[in-house]
Every structure is written in C-alpha cells, then in structure tokens.
Amino acid sequence: MGIKEFKLPDVGEGVAEGELVTWHVSPGDTVTEDQVVAEVETDKALVDVPSPYNGTVKELRAEEGEMVPVGDVIITFEVEGEGDEGTETEPETESDESEAAEEPEEETPPAETESPSGRVFAPPSVRRLARELGVDLSGVEGSGPSGRVTETDVRTAAEGSGDGDESGSTGPRNVSFSGKSAVSKAGDSGDGQAAESSGSAGGPKAAGREKTLAAPATRRIAEEEGVDIDDVPATEERDGEPFVTEADVRQYAEVQRAAQTADARSLAAEEGAGEAGEAAESTAEAVEPEAESVDAAGDRVPYKGVRKAIGDQMQRSKYTAPHVTHHDEVDVTELVELRGEYKPLAAERDVNLTYMPFVTKAVVAALKQFPYMNAQLDEENEEIVLRDEYNVGVATATDAGLLVPVVHDADGKGLLELARETNELVEKARSRKISPAEMQGGTFTITNVGVIGGEYATPIINYPEVGILALGEIKEKPRVVDGDIVPRKVLTLSLSFDHRVVDGAIAARFTNKVKEYLSNPKLLLLE
C-alpha cells in the first residue's frame, strides 16, 4: 500500500488558483479512477476534479472555501500495489510493465512520469503504446481527467507526426478537469459522438452501443441516474473500445434532464399562451436568468472567483473605452409572426427556436456593412483592426454572474444551427460546464434585458470588442399604419459602442440596418 499525492492541476488557461468549493469524499472513503472527488471554482468556471487512482482517501489537504494555488497538494490516496513514493515515481521497468499488463484495465492506476514540461499522467498501457509508436509523452496534451493522456491522444499524436503535424494533434484543444476537450470554434468538439450529445431542446443523442467499457462505480452511477450506459457518449477509449467515465454519465444525465425541462416548459407555453403571451415572451428565452440568490440581507458575500473576474472586466471596459449608448425602437410584428410559424417546424427537428437566432443573423448582416462595429482597437500598435470573422457573444445570466458564450463563425450558420448552438452554449454556461475556449474570441455581443421586463439599458461593452446590443422586451404598442392607429409588436434596442472607434453616425446607421432586417425578417433568408 503506497501513498499518492494529488496536486491541483493547471488547466493551461492562465489560472493561478482556484477555490475548493466542495469535497465529495472523506478520509477513509474508497474511490475509483475518474470518480469526482471535489469541485473547484476558478475565475473562469466551476470544474469537477476526478481521482486519478483506484484507492482509499487518506487525507484532505484543503478546506472547503479555501483558495488553493495550482500545483498545491489537495488530497492524498492509499493505492494498492504501490511503494511509498510520494508524488514521484520512477519510469516503469520491464517487470513493472508485465505486471501491469496482467491486471484488468479498469483496475490499473495511472502512472506518472516527470518531463521537462511538467508532470505527465498516463496509465501503463498508454505508456507502452507510446513506446511502440515512438511518441514522446511529454509532448502529448492529455484529454483525459486532470490532463491524463489516453490511448486516443497517443494515436492522434502518432498520426500527426506521421503526416508532418508537429503539434501531435488534429486541432487546438482546451483541457478541463472533467476531461472534456473543446476547440476554439464552438460546436466542433473534435469528437463527433460527444458533439452530437451535447444537448438540444429535444435531448441528447444516444450512442446506442452494444458493448461499453466502464468501471463498476460508473455503472452504479448510471443506474442511479436512470440512464442506459450503452447510450452514454464516451470521451475515452480502452483497447479501441468506448470507455465511459463517471463524468460522461453525469453530463449525459444532466443534458437529458435539461432537455426534458425545456420540453415541458415549451409544451406549457404553447398550451397556456395565446397571442398576448407570445407578445410578452422574452426576446431570447435561452438567456433567462436563474432564480434569485439565497443570500440574505446583512450577509457579507466574498468578492472572488467568477464574480470578481466579471467585475474586473467591467471596470477595465468602462474605464478604457468611452461608452456611448444609442437607443431606438423597431416594429417586429412580422418577426413575431414568422417565428410563430417556424417554431413548431423547428420543434420537429428538436430545436427550441427563440428570437435570438433571428437577431444574431440581423446583427451579422449589419456588421458586414459596417465593419467598424466589428473591430478592435490595438492600442499598442495604434491600429484599428477590422475583424474578418463574425463571432457573436450571447450574454447569459447564471447563478455565478454574467457569462458570455460565443457562437463562432455565425455568418456561416442557418437559423436552426444558430438556435441549436446558442441553446447548447447557454445551457453549458448555466450548468458551469462551459470551457474558457467557448467564451473567447467574440467580436460583438448581444445581451437581453427584456427577459426580466426591461426596455432600455446602457450595457457595458465586452472589451476589447467595440459594440454590444441590448434587447428589450417585445411589447404591444400603438403605431400608425396607413393612417390608422393599430397595435403592433415593438422591440427596443440599446447599442453601446466605443467612441474611440465608432462615431455616433455609424452607430445609428448600424442600428437602422439591424431594424431593417428585424422589421422585414424575410430579408434574413437571403443572408
């Protein structure tokens, strides 16, 4: 029986520390590899920390609520068949390798090696595969829990080196504690099966396998969650077969529950809401905030983590970019009718169609005609950079504060694709499972104040972008049409812009173009 120390991993996104929010284990508990032992909050997201070993918890080295620097030991394990080696182990000998080969794959604790770039986590079978394929593990970025290197990572690195790809991978990857990888373009997960399962209004797509590898503890969790483990998309492989982890099961179950809730809400809205209800419906239901905080009057709430990161960003933006806000109204009666016509058709394809994809398409079409609204100011080089990509952020209220998932390459997506991707990103933001890469690279942001009944706002720019558009509530108001006063559906718009880059005349013309598309939404079909 040997002692293994586990340090708070570095997620590679500039995070120096994290708050240990919750322990899911206690000293003396038996744990399995990939079992979630703690939750840690950084200034970017709330992440699960899985155990890299099969063993017994010996000691918890951090208290709940404590800020822990990356690299500090947070927990120790007693592991069967290991010498008392602390955090370091020597490279495997041939005898070690043969002993590990005789053990069942699920029971093999991952081995560690030390490389110049830092610690490399990999089980013996993966290290053997790396030697066979001539892959240096120190150059492989792990996609498994806590950055563990999997067989898929090694094979990908081998294929990459064979075709001249020096990076040893098929694309950019952002590794999180939970072992999920995400690339810089939202929606392209690098794992087709996992991408399909990330959730839509109609629920995650089941894998439908006949055979699934998983640890006994993972199978128990699947039973508790009421899901068929053969339907859970796997993020790892063992000996060429899908290997489902506890994180996979929990994510699949969570998405199923979210989809069922969305379906129930949609059904209730359709049964109980008439035309007046549609008019009062939020401009983008997908960004509806969660319930009010449970914090009570008189409490002192720590200003840290995501909340502080949001505050720092808002302060930087407000004191860097001179803000000006332009307000206007637009008659969206035809948009309300068109969306009402398309919504049941979208539902047949398991997509909850909100107003947000219509607004996104209108904004992108206007940005193409007014490139200074899709720009950034490079202060160091004294240049205005006119961006040639259209990555639209969608401000989302969560229980931790405002997060901004980014729909990348929005100009190349249709209404249903925009709706599906926006819904998925918003749900991931609310559940705090969104990766930093999915909140980066935005060129313009849309926020919705109408969801809580607001009309006008002065939104703060998501710096270094130069513009942000706030949507008010769609309300029925009197308008003059062909000389008659008639009730019409009216949406308020509030555009904040960086006056160093954008003049008031450009902002007004940009808003007018957005209004043109929203008042005559059939024009969007030509975009």
Side-chain angles (χ1 to χ4, degrees):
M1 187 76 73
I3 305 300
K4 291 289 185 180
E5 295 181 340
F6 181 68
K7 299 177 180 179
L8 182 64
D10 181 359
V11 293
E13 289 289 341
V15 174
E17 62 181 3
E19 177 186 356
L20 205 154
V21 178
T22 307
W23 279 114
H24 292 300
V25 294
S26 302
D29 288 354
T30 300
V31 298
T32 57
E33 183 180 342
D34 296 334
Q35 177 180 337
V36 175
V37 296
E39 283 184 335
V40 172
E41 182 178 56
T42 70
D43 61 359
K44 299 181 184 294
L46 183 69
V47 290
D48 292 333
V49 180
S51 167
Y53 307 112
N54 294 317
T56 303
V57 177
K58 179 175 177 57
E59 182 182 6
L60 305 181
R61 296 281 186 90
E63 299 289 337
E64 292 184 352
E66 179 181 345
M67 297 300 296
V68 182
V70 168
D72 276 18
V73 176
I74 60 174
I75 186 173
T76 61
F77 301 91
E78 290 185 344
V79 180
E80 289 283 353
E82 297 284 348
D84 191 358
E85 298 161 343
T87 59
E88 305 295 330
T89 60
E90 296 297 325
E92 283 184 324
T93 62
E94 292 302 317
S95 60
D96 291 333
E97 179 179 316
S98 61
E99 289 176 8
E102 295 174 358
E103 298 177 4
E105 186 66 29
E106 290 80 2
E107 299 300 323
T108 306
E112 307 173 21
T113 62
E114 189 73 23
S115 69
S117 60
R119 189 180 309 285
V120 176
F121 290 90
S125 61
V126 172
R127 295 174 60 190
R128 287 198 301 273
L129 179 63
R131 287 196 294 269
E132 293 170 1
L133 298 180
V135 174
D136 182 2
L137 282 179
S138 64
V140 178
E141 187 174 10
S143 63
S146 305
R148 264 193 325 117
V149 178
T150 67
E151 290 188 8
T152 301
D153 297 331
V154 173
R155 294 185 188 280
T156 300
E159 292 171 2
S161 61
D163 60 17
D165 181 1
E166 295 180 1
S167 68
S169 67
T170 57
R173 185 183 307 172
N174 175 40
V175 179
S176 71
F177 291 140
S178 59
K180 306 298 182 294
S181 63
V183 296
S184 59
K185 291 187 178 181
D188 180 8
S189 68
D191 182 334
Q193 190 178 52
E196 289 176 342
S197 70
S198 55
S200 66
K205 183 174 180 180
R209 292 181 300 271
E210 294 183 358
K211 178 182 178 182
T212 300
L213 297 180
T218 302
R219 296 184 184 277
R220 286 195 300 272
I221 292 171
E223 292 178 1
E224 294 171 0
E225 295 284 0
V227 300
D228 186 344
I229 199 165
D230 291 329
D231 286 341
V232 179
T235 56
E236 295 186 26
E237 287 187 357
R238 297 284 177 90
D239 299 326
E241 295 288 342
F243 183 83
V244 173
T245 66
E246 178 183 345
D248 296 336
V249 171
R250 294 193 185 280
Q251 182 182 31
Y252 181 77
E254 183 177 347
V255 172
Q256 274 196 325
R257 286 192 293 269
Q260 291 168 356
T261 300
D263 288 343
R265 287 177 178 172
S266 177
L267 180 60
E270 291 174 3
E271 291 177 348
E275 183 177 345
E278 284 289 325
E281 201 172 293
S282 71
T283 305
E285 301 94 316
V287 293
E288 183 177 355
E290 299 296 321
E292 293 295 324
S293 171
V294 296
D295 297 323
D299 288 351
R300 296 180 68 88
V301 181
Y303 183 54
K304 59 184 179 181
V306 175
R307 180 72 269 167
K308 186 176 186 302
I310 294 172
D312 290 344
Q313 171 69 359
M314 293 298 99
Q315 178 175 308
R316 179 190 181 199
S317 177
K318 195 65 177 177
Y319 285 96
T320 301
H323 283 54
V324 177
T325 305
H326 175 79
H327 302 286
D328 211 335
E329 291 183 337
V330 54
D331 185 334
V332 292
T333 303
E334 292 186 21
L335 173 60
V336 172
E337 294 172 351
L338 185 66
R339 185 252 186 173
E341 178 183 346
Y342 283 1
K343 187 173 182 179
L345 300 176
E348 292 177 1
R349 303 187 184 185
D350 294 332
V351 177
N352 180 28
L353 183 61
T354 69
Y355 289 103
M356 185 58 76
F358 293 96
V359 177
T360 300
K361 286 192 72 69
V363 165
V364 170
L367 289 175
K368 289 182 177 180
Q369 298 181 50
F370 296 91
Y372 277 83
M373 291 299 309
N374 196 54
Q376 290 183 1
L377 179 59
D378 185 345
E379 298 178 67
E380 183 176 348
N381 295 311
E382 297 185 337
E383 295 175 337
I384 297 175
V385 181
L386 304 181
R387 302 289 296 272
D388 58 357
E389 63 268 289
Y390 301 90
N391 305 330
V392 179
V394 180
T396 303
T398 74
D399 57 0
L402 196 67
L403 300 181
V404 186
V406 176
V407 179
H408 289 78
D409 302 319
D411 57 319
K413 296 179 169 72
L415 278 174
L416 291 185
E417 189 176 2
L418 284 172
R420 181 181 291 108
E421 187 170 326
T422 300
N423 293 343
E424 291 175 359
L425 287 170
V426 166
E427 181 57 36
K428 290 172 73 174
R430 285 182 180 168
S431 62
R432 307 292 301 283
K433 300 300 182 183
I434 194 166
S435 70
E438 292 172 310
M439 296 189 290
Q440 295 172 348
T443 62
F444 189 91
T445 295
I446 303 172
T447 185
N448 179 28
V449 299
V451 71
I452 53 176
E455 279 198 85
Y456 292 101
T458 54
I460 296 179
I461 298 165
N462 191 14
Y463 188 82
E465 299 168 18
V466 299
I468 179 171
L469 180 67
L471 310 175
E473 181 183 5
I474 295 178
K475 292 185 176 181
E476 197 166 58
K477 297 183 178 181
R479 288 293 182 269
V480 177
V481 179
D482 297 330
D484 296 325
I485 298 178
V486 296
R488 304 288 287 182
K489 304 299 188 340
V490 178
L491 168 67
T492 53
L493 303 174
S494 301
L495 175 70
S496 289
F497 56 93
D498 185 340
H499 215 330
R500 298 175 303 173
V501 177
V502 179
D503 292 330
I506 293 177
R509 293 191 184 106
F510 170 81
T511 305
N512 288 340
K513 183 58 64 175
V514 172
K515 288 172 54 180
E516 179 183 339
Y517 282 108
L518 293 180
S519 62
N520 186 7
K522 292 182 180 179
L523 292 175
L524 296 174
L525 303 179
L526 303 178
E527 294 297 325

